[in-house]
Amino acid sequence: MLDRTDVQILSLLQNNAKLTIKELAEAMHLTTSPIFERIKKLEKEGVIDGYVALVNAEKAGKGQIVFCNISMPVYTTENIESFETLVRTMPQVMECYHLAGVVDYQLKVCVKDIKEYDAFLKELAKIQIIKIHSSTVVLHDVKYSTVIPLD
Amino acid sequence: MLDRTDVQILSLLQNNAKLTIKELAEAMHLTTSPIFERIKKLEKEGVIDGYVALVNAEKAGKGQIVFCNISMPVYTTENIESFETLVRTMPQVMECYHLAGVVDYQLKVCVKDIKEYDAFLKELAKIQIIKIHSSTVVLHDVKYSTVIPLD
DNA sequence: AGTGAAATGACCCGAGA
DNA sequence: TCTCGGGTCATTTCACT
């Protein structure tokens, strides 16, 4: 599905979306046209999901990450839907995964400080269908990358 | 530090880095020059960390996420440094956080399948300074966003 | 699938308010 | 800080290989 050239394009664009088609073409010893067409194809197929600017959370005053572990005592389709829909609308929740573990969900929450996290928890606690199991504060970020490893 | 216009620019670019300066200018009823200068300033100050293409992990054949919980029995500066340096070089590790909890580190690992995760664990186990505490498999992604919430 | 060239349009940098 | 306008260069399309 993805040949060597596609993977090469993706690897470069995952690190720097501002590379021009010309630069990509030079890097892989081709002309601009095939690069252009391949990128359009990858976008159309949804392999490339989009292009985003990454903001430094610290400098934007949102340097605190907290993981929130949640379980759902009554595990019905309805409850799942309403919880997942809510989570997707909360901007503080950057990531949410349904786990195969002792707790059902893990949320990665991005806030200014613990005080703001406290407010977030109070907001979340309004939903009666979930049980907030525990919260784990992040001391510091060791690594944050958006790059999907491609073989 | 960041005024209303800056926040507006960041909000738009965090969702779509391909917006042209012209489009941004129209969206906030300004001309291109001030937008251009503000963006350059935000980049220079490091508020904008970079621009990246987001790849769909599923379509790239890397649809499995596993969280790996690690503790460090002998917590010395040396051990911390060598572990954190290693983690930053491993492409499967997309995120790594130092936690204030019962385990020291949480790694978000991106792999093709559990078999590949097994290989990753074996690789990681070579470092004698850490103790792999547990692994939690993700059943499905509810939300993944790179957008830092700005007030 | 890739090349090369031509037109379209965005970026960037002035001068001026 | 913002507006306006022009030079420069990347993007995009197309006819050909």
Side-chain angles (χ1 to χ4, degrees):
Chain A
M1 182 170 165
L2 297 178
D3 68 10
R4 182 142 193 80
T5 308
D6 288 328
V7 168
Q8 210 175 339
I9 291 172
L10 291 174
S11 297
L12 291 166
L13 288 181
Q14 277 197 109
N15 284 294
N16 182 10
K18 280 288 193 256
L19 288 172
T20 63
I21 293 181
K22 199 183 190 180
E23 287 169 323
L24 290 168
E26 283 165 8
M28 50 193 67
H29 307 292
L30 283 173
T31 53
T32 57
S33 309
I35 307 294
F36 175 74
E37 278 160 21
R38 278 168 181 273
I39 290 173
K40 287 302 156 208
K41 181 166 146 281
L42 292 166
E43 288 169 353
K44 192 167 193 173
E45 288 171 348
V47 179
I48 295 176
D49 245 336
Y51 302 90
V52 300
L54 297 180
V55 167
N56 186 307
E58 202 78 52
K59 299 202 172 164
K62 293 286 179 178
Q64 183 64 61
I65 292 171
V66 183
F67 288 101
C68 182
N69 300 302
I70 287 173
S71 59
M72 186 173 286
V74 184
Y75 200 69
T76 61
T77 313
E78 261 188 318
N79 283 350
I80 294 168
E81 261 316 301
S82 64
F83 170 67
E84 295 193 358
T85 302
L86 174 76
V87 150
R88 281 190 269 260
T89 66
M90 300 181 90
Q92 305 101 321
V93 179
M94 289 186 64
E95 303 181 28
C96 173
Y97 300 99
H98 184 195
L99 305 176
V102 289
V103 293
D104 293 319
Y105 291 97
Q106 183 188 81
L107 277 56
K108 187 177 105 176
V109 184
C110 178
V111 287
K112 179 174 184 283
D113 49 28
I114 299 300
K115 189 183 165 193
E116 202 176 289
Y117 183 71
D118 185 37
F120 167 81
L121 270 191
K122 288 198 173 89
E123 186 66 26
L124 200 62
K126 289 179 185 168
I127 328 159
Q128 303 289 348
I129 57 172
I130 57 162
K131 181 178 180 302
I132 298 168
H133 186 263
S134 64
S135 295
T136 308
V137 171
V138 168
L139 296 175
H140 78 270
D141 298 23
V142 177
K143 181 176 186 176
Y144 176 74
S145 172
T146 58
V147 178
I148 305 291
L150 306 170
D151 284 340
Chain B
M1 183 173 166
L2 298 177
D3 68 10
R4 181 139 195 80
T5 308
D6 288 328
V7 168
Q8 211 175 340
I9 291 172
L10 291 174
S11 296
L12 291 167
L13 288 181
Q14 278 198 111
N15 283 295
N16 182 11
K18 279 288 194 262
L19 288 172
T20 64
I21 293 181
K22 201 184 194 179
E23 287 170 322
L24 289 168
E26 283 165 8
M28 51 192 68
H29 307 293
L30 283 173
T31 53
T32 57
S33 308
I35 305 296
F36 175 74
E37 278 160 21
R38 279 168 180 271
I39 290 173
K40 288 302 155 208
K41 182 166 148 280
L42 291 167
E43 287 169 355
K44 192 168 192 172
E45 288 171 347
V47 179
I48 294 176
D49 245 336
Y51 302 90
V52 300
L54 297 180
V55 168
N56 185 309
E58 201 77 53
K59 298 202 174 165
K62 294 286 178 178
Q64 183 65 60
I65 293 171
V66 183
F67 288 101
C68 182
N69 300 302
I70 287 173
S71 58
M72 187 175 284
V74 184
Y75 200 68
T76 62
T77 312
E78 262 188 317
N79 283 351
I80 293 168
E81 262 316 303
S82 64
F83 170 67
E84 295 193 357
T85 302
L86 174 76
V87 150
R88 281 189 268 260
T89 66
M90 300 181 90
Q92 304 101 321
V93 180
M94 290 187 64
E95 303 180 28
C96 173
Y97 301 98
H98 185 195
L99 304 176
V102 288
V103 293
D104 293 319
Y105 292 97
Q106 182 188 81
L107 277 57
K108 186 178 107 175
V109 184
C110 178
V111 287
K112 179 173 183 285
D113 49 28
I114 299 300
K115 189 182 166 192
E116 201 176 289
Y117 183 70
D118 185 38
F120 168 81
L121 269 190
K122 289 200 173 89
E123 186 67 26
L124 200 62
K126 289 179 185 167
I127 328 158
Q128 304 288 346
I129 56 174
I130 57 163
K131 181 177 179 304
I132 298 169
H133 186 263
S134 63
S135 296
T136 308
V137 171
V138 168
L139 296 175
H140 78 270
D141 297 24
V142 176
K143 182 177 186 177
Y144 175 74
S145 172
T146 58
V147 179
I148 305 291
L150 305 170
D151 286 339

